[in-house]
PDB file of all heavy atoms in Angstrom:
ATOM      1  N   GLU A 371      60.889  54.826  48.431  1.00 94.00           N
ATOM      2  CA  GLU A 371      60.433  53.634  49.126  1.00 94.00           C
ATOM      3  C   GLU A 371      60.770  53.710  50.622  1.00 94.00           C
ATOM      4  O   GLU A 371      60.027  53.205  51.465  1.00 94.00           O
ATOM      5  CB  GLU A 371      61.104  52.404  48.489  1.00 94.00           C
ATOM      6  CG  GLU A 371      60.451  51.108  48.898  1.00 94.00           C
ATOM      7  CD  GLU A 371      61.148  49.906  48.267  1.00 94.00           C
ATOM      8  OE1 GLU A 371      61.985  50.109  47.366  1.00 94.00           O
ATOM      9  OE2 GLU A 371      60.858  48.777  48.709  1.00 94.00           O
ATOM     10  N   VAL A 372      61.924  54.331  50.903  1.00 95.00           N
ATOM     11  CA  VAL A 372      62.332  54.516  52.296  1.00 95.00           C
ATOM     12  C   VAL A 372      62.463  56.025  52.528  1.00 95.00           C
ATOM     13  O   VAL A 372      62.999  56.747  51.681  1.00 95.00           O
ATOM     14  CB  VAL A 372      63.675  53.801  52.578  1.00 95.00           C
ATOM     15  CG1 VAL A 372      64.153  54.081  54.002  1.00 95.00           C
ATOM     16  CG2 VAL A 372      63.525  52.298  52.358  1.00 95.00           C
ATOM     17  N   CYS A 373      61.957  56.510  53.663  1.00 94.00           N
ATOM     18  CA  CYS A 373      61.936  57.963  53.888  1.00 94.00           C
ATOM     19  C   CYS A 373      63.340  58.494  54.170  1.00 94.00           C
ATOM     20  O   CYS A 373      64.279  57.727  54.401  1.00 94.00           O
ATOM     21  CB  CYS A 373      60.992  58.305  55.034  1.00 94.00           C
ATOM     22  SG  CYS A 373      61.681  57.952  56.660  1.00 94.00           S
ATOM     23  N   SER A 374      63.451  59.809  54.172  1.00 92.00           N
ATOM     24  CA  SER A 374      64.769  60.434  54.306  1.00 92.00           C
ATOM     25  C   SER A 374      65.363  60.182  55.702  1.00 92.00           C
ATOM     26  O   SER A 374      66.585  60.129  55.853  1.00 92.00           O
ATOM     27  CB  SER A 374      64.674  61.934  54.031  1.00 92.00           C
ATOM     28  OG  SER A 374      63.691  62.512  54.863  1.00 92.00           O
ATOM     29  N   ILE A 375      64.518  59.993  56.698  1.00 95.00           N
ATOM     30  CA  ILE A 375      65.034  59.747  58.051  1.00 95.00           C
ATOM     31  C   ILE A 375      65.536  58.306  58.167  1.00 95.00           C
ATOM     32  O   ILE A 375      66.648  58.060  58.628  1.00 95.00           O
ATOM     33  CB  ILE A 375      63.954  60.057  59.116  1.00 95.00           C
ATOM     34  CG1 ILE A 375      63.670  61.569  59.126  1.00 95.00           C
ATOM     35  CG2 ILE A 375      64.387  59.569  60.497  1.00 95.00           C
ATOM     36  CD1 ILE A 375      62.526  61.999  60.017  1.00 95.00           C
ATOM     37  N   CYS A 376      64.718  57.353  57.672  1.00 95.00           N
ATOM     38  CA  CYS A 376      65.130  55.947  57.766  1.00 95.00           C
ATOM     39  C   CYS A 376      66.351  55.654  56.893  1.00 95.00           C
ATOM     40  O   CYS A 376      67.101  54.721  57.167  1.00 95.00           O
ATOM     41  CB  CYS A 376      63.981  55.018  57.378  1.00 95.00           C
ATOM     42  SG  CYS A 376      62.717  54.902  58.659  1.00 95.00           S
ATOM     43  N   SER A 377      66.551  56.434  55.833  1.00 94.00           N
ATOM     44  CA  SER A 377      67.699  56.162  54.973  1.00 94.00           C
ATOM     45  C   SER A 377      68.927  56.975  55.400  1.00 94.00           C
ATOM     46  O   SER A 377      69.972  56.890  54.756  1.00 94.00           O
ATOM     47  CB  SER A 377      67.354  56.433  53.505  1.00 94.00           C
ATOM     48  OG  SER A 377      66.898  57.755  53.352  1.00 94.00           O
ATOM     49  N   ASP A 378      68.804  57.704  56.494  1.00 95.00           N
ATOM     50  CA  ASP A 378      69.931  58.503  57.006  1.00 95.00           C
ATOM     51  C   ASP A 378      70.762  57.615  57.938  1.00 95.00           C
ATOM     52  O   ASP A 378      70.345  57.313  59.050  1.00 95.00           O
ATOM     53  CB  ASP A 378      69.373  59.726  57.753  1.00 95.00           C
ATOM     54  CG  ASP A 378      70.475  60.635  58.284  1.00 95.00           C
ATOM     55  OD1 ASP A 378      71.660  60.215  58.280  1.00 95.00           O
ATOM     56  OD2 ASP A 378      70.151  61.757  58.701  1.00 95.00           O
ATOM     57  N   ARG A 379      71.973  57.250  57.469  1.00 95.00           N
ATOM     58  CA  ARG A 379      72.783  56.295  58.230  1.00 95.00           C
ATOM     59  C   ARG A 379      73.374  56.929  59.478  1.00 95.00           C
ATOM     60  O   ARG A 379      73.851  56.227  60.364  1.00 95.00           O
ATOM     61  CB  ARG A 379      73.911  55.728  57.352  1.00 95.00           C
ATOM     62  CG  ARG A 379      73.362  54.952  56.178  1.00 95.00           C
ATOM     63  CD  ARG A 379      74.476  54.286  55.376  1.00 95.00           C
ATOM     64  NE  ARG A 379      74.013  52.993  54.885  1.00 95.00           N
ATOM     65  CZ  ARG A 379      74.248  51.836  55.496  1.00 95.00           C
ATOM     66  NH1 ARG A 379      74.967  51.784  56.601  1.00 95.00           N
ATOM     67  NH2 ARG A 379      73.776  50.712  54.997  1.00 95.00           N
ATOM     68  N   SER A 380      73.348  58.259  59.555  1.00 96.00           N
ATOM     69  CA  SER A 380      73.926  58.905  60.739  1.00 96.00           C
ATOM     70  C   SER A 380      72.948  58.890  61.923  1.00 96.00           C
ATOM     71  O   SER A 380      73.293  59.275  63.021  1.00 96.00           O
ATOM     72  CB  SER A 380      74.325  60.354  60.415  1.00 96.00           C
ATOM     73  OG  SER A 380      73.166  61.168  60.354  1.00 96.00           O
ATOM     74  N   ARG A 381      71.704  58.453  61.672  1.00 96.00           N
ATOM     75  CA  ARG A 381      70.754  58.435  62.782  1.00 96.00           C
ATOM     76  C   ARG A 381      70.820  57.110  63.513  1.00 96.00           C
ATOM     77  O   ARG A 381      71.264  56.094  62.982  1.00 96.00           O
ATOM     78  CB  ARG A 381      69.340  58.713  62.256  1.00 96.00           C
ATOM     79  CG  ARG A 381      69.241  60.130  61.676  1.00 96.00           C
ATOM     80  CD  ARG A 381      67.827  60.516  61.323  1.00 96.00           C
ATOM     81  NE  ARG A 381      67.041  60.802  62.504  1.00 96.00           N
ATOM     82  CZ  ARG A 381      66.360  61.940  62.697  1.00 96.00           C
ATOM     83  NH1 ARG A 381      66.386  62.916  61.796  1.00 96.00           N
ATOM     84  NH2 ARG A 381      65.654  62.100  63.784  1.00 96.00           N
ATOM     85  N   ASP A 382      70.330  57.127  64.744  1.00 96.00           N
ATOM     86  CA  ASP A 382      70.349  55.944  65.612  1.00 96.00           C
ATOM     87  C   ASP A 382      69.136  55.065  65.294  1.00 96.00           C
ATOM     88  O   ASP A 382      68.021  55.375  65.714  1.00 96.00           O
ATOM     89  CB  ASP A 382      70.311  56.416  67.069  1.00 96.00           C
ATOM     90  CG  ASP A 382      70.131  55.261  68.035  1.00 96.00           C
ATOM     91  OD1 ASP A 382      70.207  54.096  67.603  1.00 96.00           O
ATOM     92  OD2 ASP A 382      69.910  55.540  69.230  1.00 96.00           O
ATOM     93  N   HIS A 383      69.363  53.983  64.565  1.00 96.00           N
ATOM     94  CA  HIS A 383      68.260  53.119  64.138  1.00 96.00           C
ATOM     95  C   HIS A 383      67.823  52.145  65.223  1.00 96.00           C
ATOM     96  O   HIS A 383      66.939  51.331  64.984  1.00 96.00           O
ATOM     97  CB  HIS A 383      68.639  52.372  62.865  1.00 96.00           C
ATOM     98  CG  HIS A 383      68.650  53.257  61.653  1.00 96.00           C
ATOM     99  ND1 HIS A 383      67.764  53.122  60.628  1.00 96.00           N
ATOM    100  CD2 HIS A 383      69.421  54.325  61.343  1.00 96.00           C
ATOM    101  CE1 HIS A 383      67.990  54.058  59.714  1.00 96.00           C
ATOM    102  NE2 HIS A 383      69.004  54.799  60.127  1.00 96.00           N
ATOM    103  N   ARG A 384      68.436  52.245  66.401  1.00 96.00           N
ATOM    104  CA  ARG A 384      68.055  51.355  67.508  1.00 96.00           C
ATOM    105  C   ARG A 384      67.205  52.103  68.541  1.00 96.00           C
ATOM    106  O   ARG A 384      66.895  51.559  69.599  1.00 96.00           O
ATOM    107  CB  ARG A 384      69.297  50.737  68.140  1.00 96.00           C
ATOM    108  CG  ARG A 384      70.025  49.807  67.152  1.00 96.00           C
ATOM    109  CD  ARG A 384      71.311  49.247  67.712  1.00 96.00           C
ATOM    110  NE  ARG A 384      71.112  48.474  68.938  1.00 96.00           N
ATOM    111  CZ  ARG A 384      70.644  47.228  68.975  1.00 96.00           C
ATOM    112  NH1 ARG A 384      70.293  46.621  67.846  1.00 96.00           N
ATOM    113  NH2 ARG A 384      70.506  46.607  70.116  1.00 96.00           N
ATOM    114  N   THR A 385      66.836  53.342  68.218  1.00 95.00           N
ATOM    115  CA  THR A 385      65.901  54.093  69.068  1.00 95.00           C
ATOM    116  C   THR A 385      64.714  54.468  68.184  1.00 95.00           C
ATOM    117  O   THR A 385      64.871  55.189  67.195  1.00 95.00           O
ATOM    118  CB  THR A 385      66.555  55.363  69.641  1.00 95.00           C
ATOM    119  OG1 THR A 385      67.734  54.980  70.361  1.00 95.00           O
ATOM    120  CG2 THR A 385      65.605  56.103  70.557  1.00 95.00           C
ATOM    121  N   ILE A 386      63.559  53.922  68.511  1.00 96.00           N
ATOM    122  CA  ILE A 386      62.374  54.100  67.665  1.00 96.00           C
ATOM    123  C   ILE A 386      61.327  54.893  68.447  1.00 96.00           C
ATOM    124  O   ILE A 386      60.853  54.441  69.489  1.00 96.00           O
ATOM    125  CB  ILE A 386      61.782  52.731  67.244  1.00 96.00           C
ATOM    126  CG1 ILE A 386      62.840  51.900  66.491  1.00 96.00           C
ATOM    127  CG2 ILE A 386      60.534  52.930  66.391  1.00 96.00           C
ATOM    128  CD1 ILE A 386      62.370  50.476  66.189  1.00 96.00           C
ATOM    129  N   CYS A 387      60.999  56.060  67.930  1.00 95.00           N
ATOM    130  CA  CYS A 387      60.007  56.906  68.579  1.00 95.00           C
ATOM    131  C   CYS A 387      58.649  56.648  67.927  1.00 95.00           C
ATOM    132  O   CYS A 387      58.468  56.897  66.728  1.00 95.00           O
ATOM    133  CB  CYS A 387      60.417  58.366  68.419  1.00 95.00           C
ATOM    134  SG  CYS A 387      59.281  59.502  69.186  1.00 95.00           S
ATOM    135  N   VAL A 388      57.681  56.150  68.700  1.00 96.00           N
ATOM    136  CA  VAL A 388      56.374  55.780  68.159  1.00 96.00           C
ATOM    137  C   VAL A 388      55.426  56.967  68.284  1.00 96.00           C
ATOM    138  O   VAL A 388      55.184  57.463  69.388  1.00 96.00           O
ATOM    139  CB  VAL A 388      55.791  54.567  68.907  1.00 96.00           C
ATOM    140  CG1 VAL A 388      54.430  54.193  68.330  1.00 96.00           C
ATOM    141  CG2 VAL A 388      56.743  53.385  68.816  1.00 96.00           C
ATOM    142  N   VAL A 389      54.917  57.436  67.151  1.00 95.00           N
ATOM    143  CA  VAL A 389      54.003  58.576  67.151  1.00 95.00           C
ATOM    144  C   VAL A 389      52.726  58.211  66.417  1.00 95.00           C
ATOM    145  O   VAL A 389      52.669  57.215  65.687  1.00 95.00           O
ATOM    146  CB  VAL A 389      54.635  59.819  66.487  1.00 95.00           C
ATOM    147  CG1 VAL A 389      55.848  60.313  67.271  1.00 95.00           C
ATOM    148  CG2 VAL A 389      55.018  59.518  65.044  1.00 95.00           C
ATOM    149  N   SER A 390      51.720  59.046  66.614  1.00 94.00           N
ATOM    150  CA  SER A 390      50.433  58.791  65.984  1.00 94.00           C
ATOM    151  C   SER A 390      50.429  59.221  64.519  1.00 94.00           C
ATOM    152  O   SER A 390      49.884  58.538  63.667  1.00 94.00           O
ATOM    153  CB  SER A 390      49.372  59.550  66.785  1.00 94.00           C
ATOM    154  OG  SER A 390      48.219  59.717  66.048  1.00 94.00           O
ATOM    155  N   SER A 391      51.035  60.383  64.215  1.00 92.00           N
ATOM    156  CA  SER A 391      50.864  60.934  62.874  1.00 92.00           C
ATOM    157  C   SER A 391      52.126  61.611  62.354  1.00 92.00           C
ATOM    158  O   SER A 391      53.075  61.888  63.104  1.00 92.00           O
ATOM    159  CB  SER A 391      49.741  61.966  62.880  1.00 92.00           C
ATOM    160  OG  SER A 391      50.225  63.178  63.406  1.00 92.00           O
ATOM    161  N   VAL A 392      52.107  61.901  61.072  1.00 92.00           N
ATOM    162  CA  VAL A 392      53.198  62.600  60.396  1.00 92.00           C
ATOM    163  C   VAL A 392      53.454  63.961  61.049  1.00 92.00           C
ATOM    164  O   VAL A 392      54.595  64.407  61.142  1.00 92.00           O
ATOM    165  CB  VAL A 392      52.827  62.787  58.908  1.00 92.00           C
ATOM    166  CG1 VAL A 392      53.818  63.687  58.200  1.00 92.00           C
ATOM    167  CG2 VAL A 392      52.731  61.444  58.216  1.00 92.00           C
ATOM    168  N   ARG A 393      52.374  64.609  61.488  1.00 91.00           N
ATOM    169  CA  ARG A 393      52.547  65.919  62.114  1.00 91.00           C
ATOM    170  C   ARG A 393      53.407  65.823  63.363  1.00 91.00           C
ATOM    171  O   ARG A 393      54.177  66.725  63.679  1.00 91.00           O
ATOM    172  CB  ARG A 393      51.187  66.517  62.480  1.00 91.00           C
ATOM    173  CG  ARG A 393      50.671  67.407  61.368  1.00 91.00           C
ATOM    174  CD  ARG A 393      49.581  68.298  61.887  1.00 91.00           C
ATOM    175  NE  ARG A 393      48.367  67.511  62.099  1.00 91.00           N
ATOM    176  CZ  ARG A 393      47.225  68.040  62.531  1.00 91.00           C
ATOM    177  NH1 ARG A 393      47.167  69.325  62.808  1.00 91.00           N
ATOM    178  NH2 ARG A 393      46.168  67.289  62.689  1.00 91.00           N
ATOM    179  N   ASP A 394      53.260  64.708  64.108  1.00 92.00           N
ATOM    180  CA  ASP A 394      54.059  64.534  65.317  1.00 92.00           C
ATOM    181  C   ASP A 394      55.537  64.389  64.957  1.00 92.00           C
ATOM    182  O   ASP A 394      56.403  64.920  65.648  1.00 92.00           O
ATOM    183  CB  ASP A 394      53.581  63.288  66.078  1.00 92.00           C
ATOM    184  CG  ASP A 394      52.130  63.403  66.511  1.00 92.00           C
ATOM    185  OD1 ASP A 394      51.665  64.542  66.704  1.00 92.00           O
ATOM    186  OD2 ASP A 394      51.465  62.358  66.648  1.00 92.00           O
ATOM    187  N   VAL A 395      55.823  63.676  63.871  1.00 93.00           N
ATOM    188  CA  VAL A 395      57.215  63.554  63.422  1.00 93.00           C
ATOM    189  C   VAL A 395      57.769  64.940  63.128  1.00 93.00           C
ATOM    190  O   VAL A 395      58.872  65.302  63.550  1.00 93.00           O
ATOM    191  CB  VAL A 395      57.320  62.672  62.156  1.00 93.00           C
ATOM    192  CG1 VAL A 395      58.747  62.692  61.610  1.00 93.00           C
ATOM    193  CG2 VAL A 395      56.879  61.251  62.443  1.00 93.00           C
ATOM    194  N   MET A 396      56.986  65.739  62.406  1.00 91.00           N
ATOM    195  CA  MET A 396      57.452  67.080  62.044  1.00 91.00           C
ATOM    196  C   MET A 396      57.691  67.943  63.287  1.00 91.00           C
ATOM    197  O   MET A 396      58.649  68.715  63.341  1.00 91.00           O
ATOM    198  CB  MET A 396      56.457  67.745  61.095  1.00 91.00           C
ATOM    199  CG  MET A 396      56.441  67.064  59.720  1.00 91.00           C
ATOM    200  SD  MET A 396      55.148  67.704  58.621  1.00 91.00           S
ATOM    201  CE  MET A 396      55.738  69.381  58.374  1.00 91.00           C
ATOM    202  N   SER A 397      56.814  67.795  64.284  1.00 89.00           N
ATOM    203  CA  SER A 397      56.981  68.574  65.517  1.00 89.00           C
ATOM    204  C   SER A 397      58.261  68.166  66.239  1.00 89.00           C
ATOM    205  O   SER A 397      59.010  69.017  66.721  1.00 89.00           O
ATOM    206  CB  SER A 397      55.788  68.358  66.452  1.00 89.00           C
ATOM    207  OG  SER A 397      54.616  68.846  65.866  1.00 89.00           O
ATOM    208  N   ILE A 398      58.519  66.861  66.327  1.00 90.00           N
ATOM    209  CA  ILE A 398      59.718  66.393  67.050  1.00 90.00           C
ATOM    210  C   ILE A 398      60.972  66.758  66.257  1.00 90.00           C
ATOM    211  O   ILE A 398      61.968  67.221  66.826  1.00 90.00           O
ATOM    212  CB  ILE A 398      59.631  64.873  67.326  1.00 90.00           C
ATOM    213  CG1 ILE A 398      58.478  64.595  68.292  1.00 90.00           C
ATOM    214  CG2 ILE A 398      60.951  64.359  67.908  1.00 90.00           C
ATOM    215  CD1 ILE A 398      58.195  63.118  68.521  1.00 90.00           C
ATOM    216  N   GLU A 399      60.931  66.599  64.929  1.00 90.00           N
ATOM    217  CA  GLU A 399      62.091  66.984  64.108  1.00 90.00           C
ATOM    218  C   GLU A 399      62.413  68.470  64.292  1.00 90.00           C
ATOM    219  O   GLU A 399      63.572  68.862  64.296  1.00 90.00           O
ATOM    220  CB  GLU A 399      61.830  66.691  62.627  1.00 90.00           C
ATOM    221  CG  GLU A 399      61.931  65.230  62.271  1.00 90.00           C
ATOM    222  CD  GLU A 399      63.333  64.687  62.533  1.00 90.00           C
ATOM    223  OE1 GLU A 399      64.251  65.037  61.786  1.00 90.00           O
ATOM    224  OE2 GLU A 399      63.496  63.929  63.515  1.00 90.00           O
ATOM    225  N   ALA A 400      61.356  69.268  64.453  1.00 87.00           N
ATOM    226  CA  ALA A 400      61.565  70.713  64.574  1.00 87.00           C
ATOM    227  C   ALA A 400      62.309  71.076  65.858  1.00 87.00           C
ATOM    228  O   ALA A 400      62.934  72.129  65.943  1.00 87.00           O
ATOM    229  CB  ALA A 400      60.218  71.431  64.528  1.00 87.00           C
ATOM    230  N   THR A 401      62.261  70.181  66.863  1.00 86.00           N
ATOM    231  CA  THR A 401      62.983  70.485  68.106  1.00 86.00           C
ATOM    232  C   THR A 401      64.486  70.343  67.920  1.00 86.00           C
ATOM    233  O   THR A 401      65.259  70.911  68.690  1.00 86.00           O
ATOM    234  CB  THR A 401      62.567  69.534  69.258  1.00 86.00           C
ATOM    235  OG1 THR A 401      63.052  68.212  68.974  1.00 86.00           O
ATOM    236  CG2 THR A 401      61.067  69.492  69.435  1.00 86.00           C
ATOM    237  N   GLY A 402      64.899  69.530  66.945  1.00 87.00           N
ATOM    238  CA  GLY A 402      66.330  69.294  66.740  1.00 87.00           C
ATOM    239  C   GLY A 402      66.960  68.476  67.857  1.00 87.00           C
ATOM    240  O   GLY A 402      68.185  68.386  67.959  1.00 87.00           O
TER     241      GLY A 402
END
Side-chain angles (χ1 to χ4, degrees):
Chain A
E371 194 181 349
V372 176
C373 77
S374 54
I375 293 174
C376 285
S377 56
D378 182 348
R379 297 185 144 264
S380 75
R381 295 188 74 126
D382 172 9
H383 287 247
R384 295 176 59 78
T385 303
I386 302 173
C387 180
V388 180
V389 296
S390 161
S391 79
V392 171
R393 267 197 287 181
D394 299 333
V395 173
M396 291 174 66
S397 296
I398 294 174
E399 284 298 288
T401 69

